[in-house]
Amino acid sequence: MNAPVFSTLGCRLNAYETEAMKELAATAGLSNAVVVNTCAVTAEAVRKAKQEIRRLARENPGAPILVTGCAAQTEPETFAGMAEVTRVIGNHEKMQAETWQSLRAPDLIGVTEKVMVDDIMSVKETAGHLIDGFGRHRAYVQVQNGCDHRCTFCIIPFGRGNSRSVPAGVVIEQIKRLVGKGFNEVVLTGVDLTSWGADLPATPRLGDLVMRILKLVPDLPRLRISSIDSIEADENLMQAIATESRLMPHLHLSLQAGDDMILKRMKRRHLRDDAIRFCEDARKLRPDMVFGADIIAGFPTETEAMFENSLKLVDDCGLTFLHVFPFSPRKGTPAARMPQVKGPAIRDRAARLRAAGAVQVAAHLDAQQGQMHRILMEGPRLGRTEQFTEVDFATDQPEGQIVTACITGRSDQRLRA
């Protein structure tokens, strides 16, 4: 019997959950199956999921094809209608041991009920899934799932449900376990990370969790935060940025646009000046802070002048690492019903944003020449600085360890040491 084949599309949280599913499937004794963990963030993501399913079906003839993830949750009928698909499994169901027990039945191919997807909005809590992390270098800990906000372009709340938090005690015990296994860096991850704690007793904030982790797990060398909504950054989080050297100086911001009218039409909770002020404040507290950001190009109704405001935000906020998303309408969202920007204009704006990002990356890499950095090795000759910048080494280094090295040069995207 062969181990199941897993394919992950989309975000880091999906990758985390795939690791948890591998353990659940192994415990259940599932074999000779293909599991596709889909993404629903854009219409293009759904198209790629279908393409991946067909490819894996060709490569694994006769194996049951199990489809899960956000696209499976938001449009199960789409995947149930594919001849290649055996079962469609919801985002809540995929993390349940009993689901995987039921999937190992020998007559799985002959099932008539293809859809195992319940109402994600009825899910009230998120368990801390205890996995060993990715590789030997960095562990991801899911502390939150779901989202209570309803941005007009986003389908994800309907794939993930409302916001649910993992209690701090559970998070801390998991991080202690991971540190005990030798991990030198832990990344806190979630769908809407800065909403952590709103559903817990006493409504703690993300900054409270960060401070507790750093206090109660003194042996953890590096703590990293994944994407945050800067308008929701609390006082303790800012305090941690200012005072805790073990909190890494890299924040990925969910900005989406730099024009106030577009931000309002997106139903974002911040304005342009809020984003600029946050970056200025964080950089004053931590001068080596580096920012990444998500920005959408060509949101409905975006004029050239509005786009220019987003383009200027790259400089005004001092953004370094950009994730640029050309807008594509997502069926079921308000933005899909708004007046659309023409495709060529969207592609042109996305290209200009990426070009601005490339300039910022080059400037960041140039500024590191001759600097000493503490680098977490992700492979024998590849590591990342505290600012999450990739570094190539000329000689082998101890994988999973933090090494101190001088930066001697750079390529287009990486430093050299």
Side-chain angles (χ1 to χ4, degrees), residues 319-322 356-366 410 412-413:
L319 306 176
T320 299
F321 303 110
L322 297 190
V359 170
Q360 294 291 101
V361 169
H364 169 68
L365 297 177
D366 286 340
R410 74 166 178 92
D412 285 346
Q413 295 293 324

Side-chain angles (χ1 to χ4, degrees), residues 284-297:
K284 284 176 186 173
L285 297 173
R286 189 81 180 264
D288 59 341
M289 181 66 75
V290 169
F291 299 106
D294 296 330
I295 300 184
I296 295 173

Side-chain angles (χ1 to χ4, degrees), residues 207-219:
D208 301 321
L209 177 63
V210 167
M211 294 293 258
R212 285 186 68 181
I213 291 168
L214 292 169
K215 179 181 178 181
L216 297 176
V217 195
D219 295 336

Side-chain angles (χ1 to χ4, degrees), residues 184-206:
N184 284 314
E185 182 173 303
V186 165
V187 185
L188 303 184
T189 186
V191 174
D192 181 28
L193 202 56
T194 35
S195 71
W196 180 88
D199 57 326
L200 296 176
T203 60
R205 302 292 300 277
L206 179 62

Side-chain angles (χ1 to χ4, degrees), residues 237-354:
L237 182 57
M238 302 307 286
Q239 179 72 8
I241 289 170
T243 62
E244 295 286 356
S245 62
R246 291 185 294 146
L247 180 63
M248 295 295 93
H250 170 265
L251 291 173
H252 190 82
L253 310 177
S254 178
L255 297 181
Q256 311 305 346
D259 180 81
D260 285 348
M261 181 55 72
I262 292 297
L263 288 165
K264 289 176 181 177
R265 288 171 180 164
M266 288 177 166
K267 287 190 72 173
R268 300 295 294 165
R269 293 159 300 286
H270 71 275
L271 296 174
R272 174 192 180 81
D273 285 348
D274 296 321
I276 296 169
R277 185 163 48 249
F278 172 82
C279 292
E280 288 175 347
D281 290 348
R283 202 173 270 114
K284 284 176 186 173
L285 297 173
R286 189 81 180 264
D288 59 341
M289 181 66 75
V290 169
F291 299 106
D294 296 330
I295 300 184
I296 295 173
F299 185 81
T301 77
E302 182 183 73
T303 64
E304 180 63 24
M306 291 171 173
F307 168 72
E308 287 288 342
N309 284 332
S310 288
L311 191 60
K312 286 188 288 187
L313 192 70
V314 176
D315 286 331
D316 292 344
C317 282
L319 306 176
T320 299
F321 303 110
L322 297 190
H323 286 183
V324 176
F325 296 89
F327 179 81
S328 64
R330 194 68 183 83
K331 185 180 176 182
T333 61
R337 302 190 297 270
M338 296 178 184
Q340 303 294 305
V341 176
K342 300 292 185 185
I346 293 175
R347 290 189 290 275
D348 174 68
R349 291 171 188 177
R352 288 156 66 192
L353 276 169
R354 292 189 181 108

